[in-house]
Amino acid sequence: MHAQSLHATATRTATSARHVAPHAPRRTASVRCCASMPTSGETAPSRRQALASIALMSSGAMLSNCAPANAALKDYLLPGQDEVLEVSMTLGSTDGKYMFSPSTLELTQGKIYKLKLNNPSSTTHYFTALEFASKIYTLLVLAGDPVVEVKGAISEVALKAGASAIWVLMPIKPGKYPLRCTVKGHTEGGMVGTIIVNKA
């Protein structure tokens, strides 16, 4: 497999993004993703195959009746989960503090989450947890106003001042993962956190 890196921003069309409104957003979120592309003669795995693999890895449960790509999120739930779980995190603050609030996110392996990210500050902040990002399955990211839908393996999300984004994901591997903002000086200023994934 050859890895193809792409950087999708809510202000422009990318091959992995779909605009749902014609006008450019005023407040933007930037998403970095690395998508695996099939080599010549290979066939890209379907969403059914990908989610089935995750089900086996995370809980041993078999996935049945997987919905098509445009279905509601609830149609992607695995056996044992009744609804998509919502968690929220604020990047920065209105008074200029370098912080994640809450500083710790606690998730459970094999559950689908809607992670809501918001930046109320006057500067750009990054949600960077590369080790965590490599141990999850991303269904999609919604960012921008109007909304852009980004699909693929996401590595980090950057929120400009006043921006927000929703990252729909499933944690695969239990562990404790560091989180930080990679804007120069922000990590040193205390903008760090932790993501804990508990075993199912």
Side-chain angles (χ1 to χ4, degrees):
M1 302 283 286
H2 297 290
Q4 178 186 17
S5 296
L6 46 103
H7 183 269
T9 306
T11 55
R12 65 168 183 257
T13 302
T15 56
S16 62
R18 176 177 59 82
H19 286 274
V20 295
H23 303 296
R26 295 180 180 178
R27 297 178 178 177
T28 61
S30 174
V31 181
R32 290 184 180 177
C33 23
C34 297
S36 295
M37 302 298 292
T39 57
S40 178
E42 290 184 324
T43 302
S46 66
R47 184 179 298 272
R48 178 188 293 272
Q49 293 170 326
L51 284 176
S53 297
I54 291 167
L56 292 172
M57 291 165 58
S58 62
S59 64
M62 295 299 294
L63 181 69
S64 61
N65 299 322
C66 182
N70 62 349
L73 291 176
K74 65 180 181 180
D75 293 325
Y76 293 97
L77 296 175
L78 299 177
Q81 184 176 359
D82 297 327
E83 60 183 357
V84 176
L85 304 175
E86 292 191 5
V87 291
S88 299
M89 175 170 275
T90 299
L91 286 66
S93 65
T94 54
D95 57 0
K97 292 180 180 177
Y98 295 160
M99 60 185 292
F100 291 105
S101 180
S103 60
T104 300
L105 286 179
E106 194 161 350
L107 311 174
T108 299
Q109 173 192 31
K111 300 290 185 181
I112 295 180
Y113 289 88
K114 183 186 292 185
L115 173 58
K116 296 182 176 181
L117 302 174
N118 177 53
N119 178 8
S121 74
S122 58
T123 187
T124 296
H125 289 301
Y126 274 73
F127 182 97
T128 305
L130 300 181
E131 187 181 359
F132 169 74
S134 70
K135 302 295 191 301
I136 66 173
Y137 178 78
T138 295
L139 277 77
L140 57 87
V141 172
L142 300 174
D145 180 19
V147 174
V148 170
E149 182 178 299
V150 182
K151 297 181 180 179
I154 308 303
S155 60
E156 62 184 349
V157 177
L159 296 182
K160 293 186 177 181
S164 61
I166 295 175
W167 190 348
V168 184
L169 56 87
M170 178 191 290
I172 301 303
K173 186 174 181 180
K176 188 175 182 180
Y177 304 100
L179 168 66
R180 65 193 183 103
C181 176
T182 54
V183 175
K184 186 176 180 180
H186 290 199
T187 297
E188 296 78 6
M191 196 164 179
V192 295
T194 304
I195 302 172
I196 299 172
V197 176
N198 295 313
K199 187 175 182 179

